[in-house]
Amino acid sequence: MRKTPIFLALFLLIFSLLSACGSNSAGSSSNSDDAKSGKSDRETIDLTWYYPVNVGGEITKVIDGYAEEFNKEGIEVNGKKVTVSPVYSGNYDESMTKVQTAVKNGKSPDMAVLLSVDLFQLKDSILPLDDMIEKDPEAKKMMDDFFPGFMLNSQAEGKTWSVPFQRSTVLLYYNKDLFKEAGLDPEAAPANWDEVVEYGKKLTKDGQWGIELPATISGYWIYQALALQAGEGNLMSDDGKEVYFDSEPAKEALKYWIDLSKTHKVMPEGVLDWNTVPTDFIEGKTAMMLSTTGNLTNVKNNADFEFGVAYLPENKRAATPTGGGNFYIFKDIAEERQLASMEFIKWIADPERAAEWSIDTGYIATRQSSYETPSLKEYTDSFPQALTAMQQLENAHKEISVYEQGKIIKILSDAIQAAIDGADVDKTLDQAQEQAESLLKPYK
């Protein structure tokens, strides 16, 4: 008779422990392994979003504001509220490294903004979006509204792999006040390479340079703009399996870059830093610079002088590569998390919000319809410089994107910097071509 109470006590203890475990499982974070596989019973899908910052300004605050706003919307997937947690992941290169590490460790984010040109490095870990788009009329309408130039690096092999977000072209920025002092028309930027040299000589004096071109971080992108202007081709094939670093336009572009400092003396010698150049421009240390349109709001908010932005000076043709980052959705997450990620992307890419993003950052509003919104119309009426990058899309070409992207961009960047520091241009680019071909050989 005494065994019965003991048995009942043990039974009740085991039952309570099992109940507690069940309760803990239902309350686990939606970023846990169970949540990633769709096993969580939580009513919230909390998405992890990695994002980079590659320009000046306070973009992290803008991103945090969007996340806070979205989380209040109450958007649902499968009856569960969707929220997003943004994670600042450094510049583009740092972000790519962090994403690749996370994927390798089986802990990929739900979505990330990475360079649009990272496609060939990411293909095995990202979700092709065509099926999702085809089943979602809102998503299809969104994709049809993006500027065609931005889709060049978003699609490959007949599939859509990413969604344009913080996109750009290279712009010429110039200090109108310094133009006036030098006797130059402040409303007329140099239209071609020869005029850059001519203007640069008039603008260069003690403590002030005519022009600066950055060669670190995304310096290869600035170089690609010059290479596009120097000929009819591009630096790579559309399928990402060939590069043309030893072509005549490629060599002419790098020689021109170096001549700006060593021959014409209108630019500082040596490798100029990506982040230092906009600071030099804002501080009046250089009268002109080539930089991303993503720096437009930074310059607008911090320069104490009148400035203009213009199409890139042309040589044999007018040309710029597109640039910037796209949204990628990762494939090793539950389907409902993929659907939830698309809901957030649709939300942030809404024409009004894309217009707001452009105003806040200087990036181009990726939706064509954004330029018909009252907010962006009012903004561009008062600040017409914000239209230049969008209008320059008529001269835009695909940004360099190849297999082994990271390694090949390093080869190209190292070659550019070596030539700037005094190495022979022809030999340096020939060597870069050989190294790149060796890496690309398995893909042909």
Side-chain angles (χ1 to χ4, degrees), residues 204 209-214 257-258 260-262 264-270 272:
T204 300
W209 291 100
I211 191 168
E212 290 186 2
L213 279 62
W257 183 318
I258 294 166
L260 288 174
S261 57
K262 294 192 174 180
H264 305 301
K265 310 293 184 182
V266 298
M267 185 169 76
E269 291 194 24
L272 304 181

Side-chain angles (χ1 to χ4, degrees), residues 78-133:
N78 294 340
K80 300 176 183 178
K81 180 183 176 183
V82 181
T83 61
V84 62
S85 296
V87 178
Y88 168 61
S89 48
N91 63 33
Y92 281 123
D93 291 340
E94 293 164 341
S95 296
M96 185 63 176
T97 299
K98 288 178 182 178
V99 166
Q100 288 178 313
T101 301
V103 169
K104 185 178 180 181
N105 293 333
K107 297 180 179 179
S108 67
D110 298 293
M111 55 187 167
V113 171
L114 299 166
L115 286 172
S116 64
V117 298
D118 285 334
L119 167 60
F120 293 109
Q121 289 192 100
L122 293 166
K123 270 177 58 182
D124 291 339
S125 57
I126 57 175
L127 180 74
L129 305 175
D130 302 273
D131 288 345
M132 194 183 300
I133 293 167

Side-chain angles (χ1 to χ4, degrees), residues 250-418:
K251 292 179 177 180
E252 182 182 350
L254 190 49
K255 288 174 182 176
Y256 171 74
W257 183 318
I258 294 166
D259 282 347
L260 288 174
S261 57
K262 294 192 174 180
T263 301
H264 305 301
K265 310 293 184 182
V266 298
M267 185 169 76
E269 291 194 24
V271 173
L272 304 181
D273 183 73
W274 177 264
N275 294 315
T276 300
V277 169
T279 301
D280 284 353
F281 182 75
I282 289 168
E283 294 178 354
K285 294 178 181 177
T286 181
M288 297 183 287
M289 70 168 178
L290 297 192
S291 189
T292 170
T293 184
N295 262 319
L296 186 59
T297 299
N298 177 36
V299 174
K300 178 178 180 288
N301 290 342
N302 294 291
D304 61 359
F305 52 83
E306 282 194 77
F307 72 95
V309 293
Y311 284 21
L312 294 183
E314 61 186 76
N315 186 26
K316 292 182 175 65
R317 63 173 173 172
T320 179
T322 58
N326 280 11
F327 271 104
Y328 296 87
I329 298 176
F330 290 83
K331 69 179 184 181
D332 63 342
I333 59 175
E335 182 181 0
E336 74 171 9
R337 301 185 71 82
Q338 294 168 348
L339 293 171
S341 296
M342 180 57 78
E343 289 300 317
F344 174 71
I345 291 170
K346 289 190 301 182
W347 180 88
I348 203 167
D350 174 82
E352 288 282 357
R353 205 159 284 110
E356 180 184 337
W357 171 253
S358 180
I359 294 167
D360 287 342
T361 64
Y363 283 108
I364 300 171
T366 51
R367 299 279 294 269
Q368 297 178 74
S369 58
S370 293
Y371 287 88
E372 299 302 318
T373 61
S375 59
L376 197 51
K377 278 186 173 182
E378 181 180 351
Y379 182 69
T380 55
D381 284 346
S382 64
F383 184 55
Q385 293 96 319
L387 286 172
T388 306
M390 180 273 289
Q391 293 166 338
Q392 192 179 214
L393 285 172
E394 64 185 5
N395 300 328
H397 297 263
K398 186 176 182 179
E399 186 180 0
I400 183 170
S401 179
V402 292
Y403 287 93
E404 301 291 347
Q405 175 83 2
K407 294 177 182 178
I408 287 178
I409 289 300
K410 187 178 188 308
I411 289 170
L412 179 59
S413 297
D414 287 349
I416 293 167
Q417 293 180 29

Side-chain angles (χ1 to χ4, degrees), residues 234-250:
N234 207 327
L235 286 177
M236 79 294 170
S237 60
D238 283 340
D239 62 7
K241 298 178 181 180
E242 294 181 356
V243 295
Y244 312 116
F245 299 160
D246 60 349
S247 66
E248 284 307 310

Side-chain angles (χ1 to χ4, degrees), residues 174 176 179-180 184-189 306:
Y174 66 100
K176 291 186 176 183
F179 268 48
K180 292 176 186 176
L184 296 168
D185 183 351
E187 303 305 323
E306 282 194 77

Side-chain angles (χ1 to χ4, degrees), residues 64-80:
D64 288 342
Y66 284 145
E68 185 178 348
E69 184 183 350
F70 175 79
N71 292 344
K72 294 176 181 177
E73 289 281 325
I75 292 172
E76 294 187 352
V77 167
N78 294 340
K80 300 176 183 178

